[in-house]
Amino acid sequence: MDIHISPLDGAISFVPSKPTYVIGIVRPDEAKSFPLVESSHWLQKTSYDFSDVWPGIAHIGDVLFNEIMAERLVAEFGQYRDQCGALFAYCARGKNRSPAVAIGLNTTFELGHDTASLRAEYSEANWYVYYNVLLAGKKYRLSKDSGFRNDLLDREIEMFSSPNSWWPI
């Protein structure tokens, strides 16, 4: 599956060439002000509103990504996964939230990209969001397939659950 990660200004000109699942991480006013190009290839467009913050550093007005959002995001993608030819994720800068979500879905659903390479390419990703997508992904996959086993997903969860230099709290 193709994975496209973009900032908002690139998202408004992106034209899909195959059935594409969209995850926009934007405020509701941004979604209306910056619509995506019309295309018959948009399989499903979803939108989430959460801030690029971590627990302990959120400010008044910030929306912290949480377990409920992660479970919704994973379950919604899971409904369309088999019909998708591409995943398109975008946020304001295309560096923190959308890479975290896309890499988390790649790891969870084994979309065909090397997780370590994606982590290196998007080193500024919000790893708190990524970790929560992984946890929701494991829960989702286990609920759908009692024989599910994804060693990479388990290793990533273990690595990101331990205190590391990247965890800012």
Side-chain angles (χ1 to χ4, degrees), residues 98-111:
S98 56
V101 166
I103 299 168
L105 291 174
N106 176 70
T107 304
T108 297
F109 290 97
E110 302 170 293
L111 302 181

Side-chain angles (χ1 to χ4, degrees), residues 64-72 128 132 136 139:
L64 184 64
F65 189 71
N66 60 48
E67 181 180 351
I68 294 168
M69 289 179 194
E71 289 176 359
R72 180 183 144 221
Y128 168 76
N132 279 281
K139 185 175 179 180

Side-chain angles (χ1 to χ4, degrees), residues 8-80:
L8 181 58
D9 60 355
I12 60 175
S13 60
F14 179 80
V15 179
S17 61
K18 56 179 74 171
T20 302
Y21 187 89
V22 179
I23 299 174
I25 305 165
V26 293
R27 294 186 318 264
D29 61 310
E30 290 174 323
K32 289 179 184 170
S33 299
F34 300 97
L36 298 177
V37 172
E38 289 297 320
S39 173
S40 62
H41 289 297
W42 295 129
L43 182 62
Q44 177 70 12
K45 296 182 204 176
T46 59
S47 184
Y48 297 87
D49 179 14
F50 59 90
S51 305
D52 185 23
V53 294
W54 305 66
I57 63 167
H59 299 94
I60 293 174
D62 285 339
V63 178
L64 184 64
F65 189 71
N66 60 48
E67 181 180 351
I68 294 168
M69 289 179 194
E71 289 176 359
R72 180 183 144 221
L73 187 147
V74 168
E76 288 179 347
F77 179 77
Q79 292 176 356
Y80 292 91

